[in-house]
Amino acid sequence: MKDYSLDNRKYVIGGVATLIVVIYIIRLFTLQITSDDYKKSADSNAFLKKIEYPSRGVISDRNGKLLVYNQPAYDIMVVMNEAKDHLDTLEFCAALNIDRKEFDQRMATIKDRNKNPGYSRFTQQMFMSQLSDKDFSVFQERMFRFPGFYVQRRSIRQYQYPVAAHVLGDIAEVSKGDIENDDYYQPGDYIGKLGVERSYEKQLRGVKGMQILLRDAHGRVQGRYQNGKFDRRPVAGKNLTLSIDLELQRLGERLMEGKIGSIVAIEPKTGEVLCMVSSPSYDPRMMVGRQRSASHKLLSQNGLKPLLNRSIMGQYPPGSTFKTTQGLTFMTEGIIHPTQTAYPCGHGFNFKGLHVGCHGHASPLPLVPALSTSCNGYFCWGLYYMIGNKKYGGSRNAMNRWRDYMVSMGFGYRLGIDLPGEKRGMIPNGDYYSEHIRGGWNGLTVISISIGQGEVNATPLQIANLGATIANRGWFITPHVVKHVQGEKLDSTFIEHHRTLASRESYDYVVAGMRASATGGTCHELSRLPFAACGKTGTAQNKGHDHSVFMGFAPMDDPKIAVAVYVENGGWGATYGVPLGSLIMEQYINGKLSEASQKRATEFQNRHISYGSTSR
């Protein structure tokens, strides 16, 4: 009789044997083909791949004055697979002037894949960054006692002057997100965090190099592999030339001491930003090296927000500087005629119980003196008649047409400056009011936008760009702070002309109004200048003391500079805005201030505004 149990056992044993063979084959395939652990291990025993970091591009002002450069620094790197268990930790800590707790924390951070997603025990990992020459010398003398630890020569940024922090920005160690977004970076690398260091990071950083060093069986470096045949030399980053004028920037920051606000100056013909002052500011040298973290924390806790670049992030009511946009719009749309004197101003706009106040002046006025005296009534009537004009087919359509003019002049959207963090401001349209005002709305409901109040908000950069646009009689180039990148052409964005919807004729009248303001109106202080300057004041209403605003350009017929000044709680536009703006114009056009103007600058430098402890 046949024993079926023996036959079944034979199949079972054969199946088990086959399964074992298959498992071994899969494992061998995994080790030899799929996994590179052994390859890495073999390579790490034979080779040391040493990254060579490129020199970061230097930054100069428009006149070639060096602003940002590099100085040598040293990083301590570790290959965890080589670091021995019998490392004399106490001696190691003494060499770096750290304690055992800090040592353990740094080693744990290196191994934490959440904090260090590029971790590998076979490659160099950052243990400590940016040692000074002195600290490096102490460690180097004992380094032979610490197997697995190496020195990586790097560089750190240095700032020649304590100015332009918001424009220049700074660099810091890469985050997890930076590493995930760009495979150029690995843990311990540095990246631009703010300013042009951020927006021109790819140009400034250069290209990494690599040395492949050969090691013996004891891990000692024997020299370059195949005499450096496979080494890659680093490629230095590209140098930047900024459009910023250092002396103008220094004057602007000096004038804004003890005040909150901004000064922005633009060259109208090119869109180049000549100075960008945000106050309060800070010394960019605070953000260098290992002190950056503590300095950043200190600045971020300051209630006056010195880290905020108010020039592009501050969103303010533009006040009466905005009346220029209204004159341009109403005249082009045929709502007003430049010689028309039909709009009364009895100390303000008065209609159907609504009163918008104004200072005393002759009335009624045509466009040019309405601008020079900053008549509220004139521009309120203009908006009222535009919103109610039947040719638009309703208030919403009229409002949208008004909005189109404002957008064409650079308001309501980001201008696109080559700095991170720019805000768009606020320009309402018909849909906005239909959504937010119950029971309907009309020209009276929104009348305050005609004088730069209400829902209208703008950045100081946008106000300065308005000045440049008027100086050009109807066009502007996107403002930018980088004039030239080494070996590259300027981005086409910063060459293209943007033309507004307003007519050339309307610009001629607005320019005449701004010139009249300088010769006998609210900007009369401009008349002291030895060239024909044009300006418009603004006094922007605020919950506390009003903001002082100025927008202008010079010379009138060959404009070289457009300026916006915004001083929070500074009162009338003529109190701070006009004097500071005139000094900026004089410095740039004449190359220096007169003796009288130097005294005037010192006076305003020492004139501080009390803001209390309120966060802003």
Side-chain angles (χ1 to χ4, degrees):
M1 184 177 178
K2 191 174 181 178
D3 191 345
Y4 290 102
S5 63
L6 292 176
D7 287 344
N8 291 338
R9 188 180 302 167
K10 177 177 67 176
Y11 291 127
V12 170
I13 293 172
V16 171
T18 301
L19 180 62
I20 292 172
V21 171
V22 170
I23 291 172
Y24 270 103
I25 291 173
I26 293 174
R27 181 58 178 160
L28 287 172
F29 177 83
T30 301
L31 291 174
Q32 296 181 26
I33 306 299
T34 305
S35 174
D36 60 354
D37 282 355
Y38 286 90
K39 181 178 183 301
K40 286 182 179 179
S41 179
D43 284 350
S44 67
N45 288 332
F47 305 114
L48 173 63
K49 294 181 179 179
K50 186 178 180 181
I51 292 176
E52 289 189 300
Y53 288 91
S55 175
R56 196 169 176 89
V58 301
I59 304 175
S60 304
D61 89 327
R62 68 186 295 110
N63 298 311
K65 295 178 181 177
L66 187 63
L67 302 177
V68 186
Y69 59 99
N70 304 302
Q71 280 195 337
Y74 304 89
D75 295 340
I76 305 301
M77 312 297 291
V78 60
V79 178
M80 302 297 282
N81 199 48
E82 299 174 14
K84 305 300 183 183
D85 293 335
H86 58 268
L87 172 72
D88 187 335
T89 308
L90 292 179
E91 183 180 8
F92 180 85
C93 291
L96 288 176
N97 195 27
I98 61 176
D99 56 27
R100 178 59 186 265
K101 181 179 179 181
E102 183 176 350
F103 173 86
D104 291 338
Q105 288 176 340
R106 289 179 178 274
M107 295 296 275
T109 299
I110 290 172
K111 296 177 183 179
D112 187 339
R113 293 185 182 274
N114 289 324
K115 297 180 179 178
N116 185 13
Y119 171 70
S120 168
R121 68 180 187 273
F122 302 115
T123 60
Q124 291 189 3
Q125 305 292 312
M126 176 72 73
F127 178 82
M128 181 178 288
S129 65
Q130 299 186 348
L131 267 71
S132 66
D133 287 337
K134 180 180 178 181
D135 293 338
F136 165 69
S137 298
V138 173
F139 180 78
Q140 188 180 36
E141 292 176 357
R142 308 185 198 178
M143 193 170 67
F144 70 94
R145 299 176 181 272
F146 314 129
F149 288 87
Y150 301 88
V151 171
Q152 175 70 63
R153 190 176 187 277
R154 297 284 285 272
S155 62
I156 58 174
R157 293 305 240 179
Q158 291 294 332
Y159 299 87
Q160 188 78 0
Y161 305 96
V163 297
H166 296 100
V167 175
L168 298 173
D170 66 300
I171 63 172
E173 194 168 332
V174 291
S175 65
K176 180 181 178 181
D178 293 327
I179 296 170
E180 292 172 348
N181 292 333
D182 191 336
D183 58 10
Y184 174 90
Y185 302 104
Q186 63 184 38
D189 283 355
Y190 292 88
I191 189 172
K193 290 293 185 181
L194 296 169
V196 294
E197 293 277 17
R198 182 68 179 185
S199 50
Y200 287 86
E201 165 66 15
K202 290 186 177 180
Q203 289 90 342
L204 286 166
R205 73 188 184 188
V207 180
K208 294 175 185 173
M210 180 177 288
Q211 287 185 22
I212 303 177
L213 305 177
L214 188 64
R215 299 195 288 198
D216 62 18
H218 300 287
R220 294 171 297 198
V221 174
Q222 299 300 302
R224 293 188 173 186
Y225 175 61
Q226 293 194 16
N227 293 319
K229 178 180 178 181
F230 299 101
D231 290 355
R232 297 195 311 270
R233 293 179 62 84
V235 179
K238 297 178 179 180
N239 299 332
L240 299 184
T241 300
L242 301 187
S243 60
I244 298 295
D245 182 299
L246 173 62
E247 296 309 316
L248 196 66
Q249 182 74 25
R250 294 172 81 169
L251 173 62
E253 295 197 17
R254 176 184 161 202
L255 294 174
M256 288 298 292
E257 286 183 17
K259 308 166 190 70
I260 295 177
S262 171
I263 299 176
V264 179
I266 298 174
E267 184 177 69
K269 289 184 176 65
T270 63
E272 294 173 3
V273 175
L274 302 172
C275 78
M276 179 175 283
V277 176
S278 178
S279 182
S281 185
Y282 57 94
D283 187 338
R285 293 173 292 193
M286 293 175 61
M287 307 295 273
V288 171
R290 295 166 65 182
Q291 66 174 342
R292 181 189 185 276
S293 179
S295 296
H296 189 275
K297 182 178 180 181
L298 182 68
L299 291 170
S300 64
Q301 292 174 343
N302 188 321
L304 297 180
K305 301 181 181 179
L307 289 173
L308 179 69
N309 184 354
R310 288 174 167 83
S311 299
I312 61 173
M313 298 176 179
Q315 299 178 93
Y316 301 104
S320 293
T321 62
F322 203 61
K323 291 173 183 174
T324 56
T325 68
Q326 306 307 288
L328 293 165
T329 302
F330 302 154
M331 183 174 167
T332 305
E333 283 293 294
I335 304 301
I336 62 173
H337 188 276
T339 60
Q340 180 181 3
T341 57
Y343 298 153
C345 182
H347 285 277
F349 174 81
N350 300 281
F351 188 63
K352 294 186 177 181
L354 177 64
H355 174 71
V356 178
C358 188
H359 56 277
H361 59 75
S363 174
L365 295 171
L367 177 59
V368 169
L371 283 168
S372 68
T373 59
S374 199
C375 173
N376 283 345
Y378 185 92
F379 297 98
C380 287
W381 281 112
L383 182 73
Y384 174 74
Y385 282 117
M386 180 172 179
I387 299 302
N389 198 303
K390 293 181 179 179
K391 72 176 182 178
Y392 298 109
S395 297
R396 180 182 293 195
N397 292 339
M399 193 73 233
N400 287 343
R401 182 61 177 164
W402 178 90
R403 182 275 320 272
D404 291 343
Y405 272 84
M406 301 306 107
V407 171
S408 78
M409 295 176 196
F411 293 97
Y413 292 90
R414 297 180 186 91
L415 283 167
I417 192 172
D418 50 347
L419 287 173
E422 182 190 5
K423 301 299 183 182
R424 62 181 290 175
M426 170 64 177
I427 294 294
N429 58 19
D431 295 334
Y432 174 88
Y433 285 124
S434 295
E435 180 181 345
H436 289 84
I437 299 179
R438 294 181 179 179
W441 58 275
N442 55 39
L444 292 178
T445 316
V446 302
I447 202 71
S448 60
I449 64 174
S450 66
I451 55 173
Q453 298 288 163
E455 292 73 27
V456 171
N457 273 328
T459 65
L461 176 68
Q462 290 171 331
I463 299 173
N465 188 65
L466 172 63
T469 306
I470 298 172
N472 291 332
R473 276 56 166 185
W475 59 269
F476 67 90
I477 294 175
T478 300
H480 49 286
V481 297
V482 171
K483 182 181 178 73
H484 178 69
V485 179
Q486 180 185 13
E488 291 186 10
K489 290 184 178 180
L490 195 65
D491 192 298
S492 60
T493 302
F494 306 125
I495 299 174
E496 179 185 358
H497 287 206
H498 301 275
R499 190 158 293 279
T500 76
L501 294 176
S503 67
R504 170 57 194 255
E505 183 186 13
S506 68
Y507 276 101
D508 289 337
Y509 275 96
V510 167
V511 169
M514 293 176 68
R515 180 58 186 157
S517 180
T519 56
T522 57
C523 296
H524 62 272
E525 185 164 335
L526 295 180
S527 62
R528 71 174 185 82
L529 296 171
F531 45 80
C534 301
K536 182 71 194 77
T537 54
T539 305
Q541 293 178 5
N542 181 44
K543 292 180 180 178
H545 206 42
D546 293 341
H547 303 318
S548 179
V549 196
F550 168 76
M551 176 272 293
F553 63 91
M556 180 175 72
D557 295 322
D558 183 22
K560 292 180 172 59
I561 183 172
V563 185
V565 178
Y566 209 106
V567 179
E568 293 188 25
N569 304 149
W572 297 104
T575 304
Y576 282 99
V578 180
L580 302 193
S582 70
L583 290 167
I584 292 292
M585 289 178 177
E586 180 182 351
Q587 169 67 39
Y588 185 70
I589 292 177
N590 288 353
K592 62 179 182 178
L593 297 179
S594 67
E595 185 177 343
S597 294
Q598 282 286 8
K599 293 180 180 178
R600 188 86 163 127
T602 300
E603 174 193 338
F604 277 97
Q605 178 183 0
N606 296 328
R607 190 186 294 182
H608 293 187
I609 298 174
S610 176
Y611 294 97
S613 59
T614 304
S615 296
R616 310 184 71 82

